[in-house]
Amino acid sequence: MAVSERGPRERMVFSAAQLIRRHGVGATGMREVAVHAGAPRGSLQHYFPGGKEQLVNEAVAWAGRYAGRRVARFMEGMAEPTPGGLFAAMVRQWTDEYETAGLLAGCPVAAATVDCADATESTREAAAGAFATWTAPVAGALTDMGVPTERAEPLATLMISSLEGALLIARAERDTRALTTVAGELAPMLDAVATGAACS
Amino acid sequence: MAVSERGPRERMVFSAAQLIRRHGVGATGMREVAVHAGAPRGSLQHYFPGGKEQLVNEAVAWAGRYAGRRVARFMEGMAEPTPGGLFAAMVRQWTDEYETAGLLAGCPVAAATVDCADATESTREAAAGAFATWTAPVAGALTDMGVPTERAEPLATLMISSLEGALLIARAERDTRALTTVAGELAPMLDAVATGAACS
DNA sequence: CGGCTACTATGACCACGGTCATAGACGGCC
DNA sequence: GGCCGTCTATGACCGTGGTCATAGTAGCCG
C-alpha cells in the first residue's frame, strides 16, 4: 500500500487508522497497532507520550488529510468533471476496495466519532477537524465546477454525509448496494443543481 | 421518557440502546446497563443468557423498530406530506433532541455497526435487519406520496444514509449544522423527484 | 573513550469488564 | 406446609489492555 518506506512513527499512525476503521477505537489495542506496524511496542510510548488518545487523534487527522487529498486526484482523473461525477468517484473508491479486499472496512473518522465523541473531547475535535479538511476540498472542487459559492459547502456536506451513511449501511449489509444506490440517486441530483436545473 | 412501566427486561434493552448510542458498544459495560435500567445485575444473565452479544443485538433491533414506527408518526403529523417534508421531520427529531438534551447522542445501529461489523456476525446481521425495518416504512411512505415504486427504496436508502452521515458530522462538531444543512439541501431535491421534475 | 540522545525492548502493575457460580427471596400450586 | 420456577443478589475468576518503570542498544559528538 505504498507505505513501505515511511518512518516508524507514520507507520504506526497509519496502522492505527487501519485497525480503527475495522474494529473501532475501543477494540483496537496499542499492542495490536505496534504489531500491525511492525514496530516495537516501546516505540509507542516514545512517539506518543500522550498515549492512546494522541495516537487516535493523529490517526483521525491523517485520515482527514488523506480523504482531502483524494479529492484532487478524483478531479484530475475526470475528463469533464461534474459534481455528480466527483461524488460517483468518491463512492467508487469504497466499492473498489470492497471488490479487492472482499471486506468493507469503515471510515476511521466515523469510528472515532462514534466511540469517543462523548468521552474524549480532543478526539471529538480531531474528528471535527478531519471532516473540515475533507469538506473544504470538496467544496472547492464544486465551485471550480461552477457551483455558486454559497451552495458549495452545503452540498459538500450533503455529499460526505450521504457517503458516510451509505458506508455504514453497506458495512452492516456486507454489500455495496447502499453505496451504489446512493451514488445512482444523488449524482444526477447534484448535476441538476450544478447546471441550474429546476430545483426549488 | 415514557419507559417507566415496562418490564425490567425491556428496560434493560432500552438502557443498553441509550448507552450504546452515547459511548459505543465497546465502552458500554453490562454493569452500567443494569445500573442505568435500575435493574439488578443478576437479571442480566437471567434475561440475556447469550451475554452481551444478545443484549446488544436486541438493543439494535429495538432501535430499528423504533425508527420504523416513527415514520408513521411523522406522516400523521404532516398536513400535506411530501418526501422532503418527511425527511425534514426525520432530521428534526434529532435537532430537537439536541435542543432539549443539550448533547447529541448517536444512533445505536450506527454504533453497533462500527464496533461489531467485523467481529460479531450476529450483531452485523442485527444492524442490517434494523436498517431494513427502518427503510421499509420510509419507502412505503414514499410510494404513498406518489413516488414510483422502483424509486422508493433507493430514495429511502439515500434519505437514511444522509441522515446517518449528517448525524455523525453533527456529533463530531457538537453542532446541528450538518443536520440542518442536509435537510435544507436534500429535501427540495426529494420533492423535485416526487413531482416528476426534471432530474436526469 | 565517556557521555548523551534517540530509540528499542520487556516485564509488571492495575483497573475494568464479561462471565460463571452460588445462594437468597418471592410467589404460586399441589 | 413443602416444592419449584422465576427472579434477585453478590462474590470471584480471569482475560484484556493501557500505562509505567526500567533497561538495553545504537549512533553521534566532544
Side-chain angles (χ1 to χ4, degrees), chain B:
Chain B
M1 282 198 180
V3 207
S4 40
E5 287 321 318
R6 301 212 187 282
R9 192 180 194 284
E10 191 170 352
R11 280 212 318 275
M12 283 188 273
V13 173
F14 177 81
S15 290
Q18 294 294 329
L19 294 172
I20 287 170
R21 76 200 200 100
R22 278 176 182 72
H23 315 306
V25 173
T28 298
M30 299 285 275
R31 292 166 169 84
E32 195 184 355
V33 171
V35 171
H36 185 274
R41 217 182 79 210
S43 298
L44 277 172
Q45 78 172 297
H46 181 256
Y47 289 114
F48 308 94
K52 189 176 189 179
E53 185 174 335
Q54 182 186 357
L55 178 60
V56 170
N57 293 356
E58 294 201 23
V60 167
W62 179 88
R65 288 194 303 273
Y66 174 81
R69 262 186 259 119
R70 294 292 301 200
V71 176
R73 292 280 174 90
F74 293 146
M75 293 299 284
E76 292 168 10
M78 288 190 295
E80 42 184 46
T82 67
L86 173 58
F87 184 67
M90 290 165 64
V91 170
R92 200 174 317 120
Q93 175 180 18
W94 290 96
T95 55
D96 284 352
E97 178 179 324
Y98 183 77
E99 302 297 328
T100 58
L103 187 54
L104 204 49
C107 168
V109 186
T113 302
V114 165
D115 281 348
C116 311
D118 271 29
T120 315
E121 256 293 297
S122 68
T123 304
R124 206 214 78 233
E125 287 170 8
F131 279 127
T133 61
W134 186 8
T135 306
V138 174
L142 289 178
T143 57
D144 289 349
M145 290 185 274
V147 174
T149 316
E150 69 275 12
R151 296 291 303 280
E153 203 183 291
L155 285 177
T157 299
L158 173 60
M159 290 165 69
I160 294 177
S161 293
S162 303
L163 174 57
E164 286 283 3
L167 187 49
L168 217 55
I169 300 177
R171 283 192 81 193
E173 296 182 346
R174 240 194 237 290
D175 192 298
T176 54
R177 189 211 106 234
L179 285 164
T180 54
T181 297
V182 166
E185 292 294 326
L186 190 59
M189 294 182 186
L190 290 168
D191 285 340
V193 170
T195 57
C199 275
S200 110

Side-chain angles (χ1 to χ4, degrees), chain A residues 7 31 70 73 86 112 127:
Chain A
R31 293 165 169 85
R70 294 292 300 200
R73 290 281 174 89
L86 173 58

Side-chain angles (χ1 to χ4, degrees), chain A residues 3 17 22 24 27 34-35 71 74 79 89 111 116 118 125 147-148 154 159 162-163 165 174 193 195-197:
Chain A
V3 206
R22 279 175 180 74
V35 171
V71 176
F74 293 145
C116 312
D118 271 29
E125 285 169 10
V147 174
M159 291 165 69
S162 302
L163 175 57
R174 240 194 236 293
V193 170
T195 56

Side-chain angles (χ1 to χ4, degrees), chain A residues 2-174:
Chain A
V3 206
S4 39
E5 287 321 317
R6 301 212 187 282
R9 193 181 193 284
E10 191 170 352
R11 280 211 318 275
M12 284 187 272
V13 173
F14 177 82
S15 290
Q18 295 293 329
L19 294 172
I20 287 170
R21 74 199 201 101
R22 279 175 180 74
H23 314 307
V25 173
T28 298
M30 299 285 275
R31 293 165 169 85
E32 195 183 355
V33 171
V35 171
H36 185 274
R41 216 183 80 210
S43 297
L44 277 173
Q45 77 172 296
H46 182 255
Y47 288 114
F48 307 94
K52 189 176 188 178
E53 186 174 334
Q54 181 186 357
L55 178 60
V56 170
N57 293 357
E58 293 202 23
V60 167
W62 179 90
R65 289 195 303 272
Y66 173 81
R69 263 186 258 118
R70 294 292 300 200
V71 176
R73 290 281 174 89
F74 293 145
M75 293 299 285
E76 291 169 10
M78 290 189 295
E80 43 185 46
T82 67
L86 173 58
F87 184 67
M90 289 166 65
V91 170
R92 200 175 316 120
Q93 176 179 17
W94 291 96
T95 56
D96 284 351
E97 179 179 323
Y98 183 77
E99 303 296 329
T100 58
L103 188 53
L104 204 49
C107 168
V109 187
T113 302
V114 165
D115 281 348
C116 312
D118 271 29
T120 316
E121 256 293 298
S122 68
T123 304
R124 207 214 78 233
E125 285 169 10
F131 279 125
T133 61
W134 186 6
T135 306
V138 173
L142 289 178
T143 56
D144 290 348
M145 291 185 272
V147 174
T149 316
E150 69 276 12
R151 296 292 303 281
E153 204 183 291
L155 285 177
T157 299
L158 174 60
M159 291 165 69
I160 294 178
S161 293
S162 302
L163 175 57
E164 286 283 2
L167 188 49
L168 217 55
I169 299 177
R171 283 191 81 193
E173 296 182 346
R174 240 194 236 293

